[in-house]
Amino acid sequence: MDSNEKTTTPSNGYVMLSLIVLLLIIGAAGLITMKMPLFLILILATLALVPGLILVNPNESRVLLLFGKYKGTVKNNGLFWVNPFFTKTKISLRARNFDSERLKVNDKLGNPIMISTILVWRVKDTFKASFDVDNFENFVVVQTDAAVRKLASMYPYDNFADEGLEEDITLRSSVNEVSEALEKELEERLDIAGIEVLEARIGYLAYANEIASAMLKRQQATAIVAARHKIVEGAVSMVEMALNELSKKNIVHLDDERRAAMVSNLMVILCGDKDASPIVNAGTLNH
């Protein structure tokens, strides 16, 4: 929906305030000295002008209505005077933080996770915020929760490459990509309320309690397997280098059986979790 917001600049409030004070002084003085009812009417009429004074602070606005008809929005700072019959609704234009509750949702793979978001937003269109939604602050809360639920269902929590489920974007590792997707989703949802999204990012992310322990063990097992893979790969390279150097320099000649025994011993030493305890052979190769 197109915005119908229009910015208006009312009359100078300082001039009107001076006039009101002057009229009150004249009316009070005349009522006291001359005791004429006309001065009482002047005082009452002057007091009726006072509600027209409005003070607009920095990054605030006043939405003006006259018997249900939109008359404009005051965004300039200072003291102004408007028609006393105007309804003057204050709307802050300052940036606001919203830290959503931790929601329990399912990620793309169906795993239950706990997730929350931190949203920085502000009102950019006072007409939409006032008239296109019932309560724009509550609208932000509800739509943010809906956007987070949708986002969580679009991506997995983490990669499971060992199961053939490798993803380019995950909630845990792709922080920038996920934040951009969340901002875009929120901008589309909150535009109807005239809300500008300044920043949106994941504030909390974890597996739900019922699977957190199992997933932690799985991550530990995956890390151990990856580490073992690197260790074995390095050990094979070191054994190959050792055999090649022994053959090249004619240090010792090994038949296939002794070569296999040497490879076995070296692999045990290089791949073992604990330091090896060497046994010194003071005899021959056969004893």
Side-chain angles (χ1 to χ4, degrees):
M1 181 182 295
D2 295 334
S3 172
N4 294 320
E5 181 187 71
K6 57 181 180 181
T7 303
T8 182
T9 303
S11 303
N12 191 303
Y14 296 100
V15 175
M16 184 56 67
L17 179 61
S18 301
L19 179 60
I20 290 173
V21 172
L22 179 61
L23 291 176
L24 287 175
I25 293 174
I26 293 173
L31 186 63
I32 293 173
T33 57
M34 303 180 65
K35 295 183 172 30
M36 293 180 60
L38 182 63
F39 290 102
L40 179 59
I41 296 175
L42 176 62
I43 292 175
L44 295 176
T46 303
L47 291 176
L49 299 176
V50 175
L53 292 171
I54 58 173
L55 179 64
V56 182
N57 296 316
N59 281 326
E60 284 186 356
S61 67
R62 294 293 184 95
V63 178
L64 306 178
L65 291 175
L66 180 60
F67 304 122
K69 185 175 181 180
Y70 176 66
K71 289 298 183 178
T73 300
V74 182
K75 291 186 175 180
N76 293 332
N77 305 326
L79 182 65
F80 303 97
W81 185 85
V82 297
N83 189 329
F85 293 100
F86 279 173
T87 301
K88 302 168 283 291
T89 304
K90 180 188 295 186
I91 294 182
S92 174
L93 304 179
R94 297 184 177 97
R96 313 188 199 186
N97 283 321
F98 171 61
D99 189 359
S100 70
E101 296 182 356
R102 295 178 182 179
L103 304 174
K104 184 177 180 180
V105 297
N106 292 332
D107 68 356
K108 184 178 179 180
L109 303 179
N111 296 318
I113 62 174
M114 301 297 295
I115 187 172
S116 70
T117 185
I118 297 176
L119 173 66
V120 183
W121 62 279
R122 67 183 175 192
V123 175
K124 69 175 180 179
D125 191 314
T126 58
F127 181 87
K128 288 183 177 182
S130 299
F131 307 116
D132 285 357
V133 294
D134 184 49
N135 184 320
F136 68 89
E137 293 179 337
N138 184 64
F139 188 81
V140 170
V141 174
V142 174
Q143 292 301 319
T144 299
D145 287 349
V148 171
R149 291 181 183 276
K150 181 179 178 181
L151 180 81
S153 66
M154 293 170 57
Y155 304 108
Y157 179 93
D158 204 352
N159 265 320
F160 297 101
D162 55 328
E163 298 180 4
L165 300 174
E166 186 172 3
E167 297 281 347
D168 293 331
I169 299 178
T170 64
L171 296 173
R172 186 182 65 86
S173 59
S174 306
V175 178
N176 294 332
E177 292 81 356
V178 172
S179 297
E180 290 177 1
L182 180 59
E183 287 183 11
K184 183 178 180 181
E185 181 69 22
L186 285 170
E187 285 173 355
E188 294 176 356
R189 290 173 176 268
L190 299 181
D191 182 65
I192 187 177
I195 304 298
E196 179 183 7
V197 177
L198 301 178
E199 182 185 4
R201 58 185 177 85
I202 301 299
Y204 178 85
L205 181 65
Y207 281 113
N209 291 335
E210 57 265 31
I211 67 167
S213 178
M215 286 301 180
L216 178 60
K217 292 179 180 178
R218 189 187 189 286
Q219 292 175 350
Q220 291 174 341
T222 301
I224 291 173
V225 170
R228 286 293 179 187
H229 178 78
K230 289 292 183 182
I231 291 173
V232 172
E233 184 178 325
V236 171
S237 299
M238 293 174 68
V239 170
E240 182 182 7
M241 179 182 66
L243 293 175
N244 289 338
E245 289 297 319
L246 289 173
S247 299
K248 183 189 299 183
K249 296 182 180 180
N250 293 321
I251 297 175
V252 63
H253 295 284
L254 300 174
D255 56 21
D256 292 340
E257 183 178 351
R258 291 195 178 96
R259 181 185 293 267
M262 181 177 181
V263 170
S264 176
N265 293 334
L266 287 175
M267 291 298 293
V268 170
I269 293 171
L270 295 173
C271 298
D273 289 333
K274 300 179 180 179
D275 293 336
S277 299
I279 298 175
V280 179
N281 184 3
T284 65
L285 290 174
N286 296 322
H287 295 89

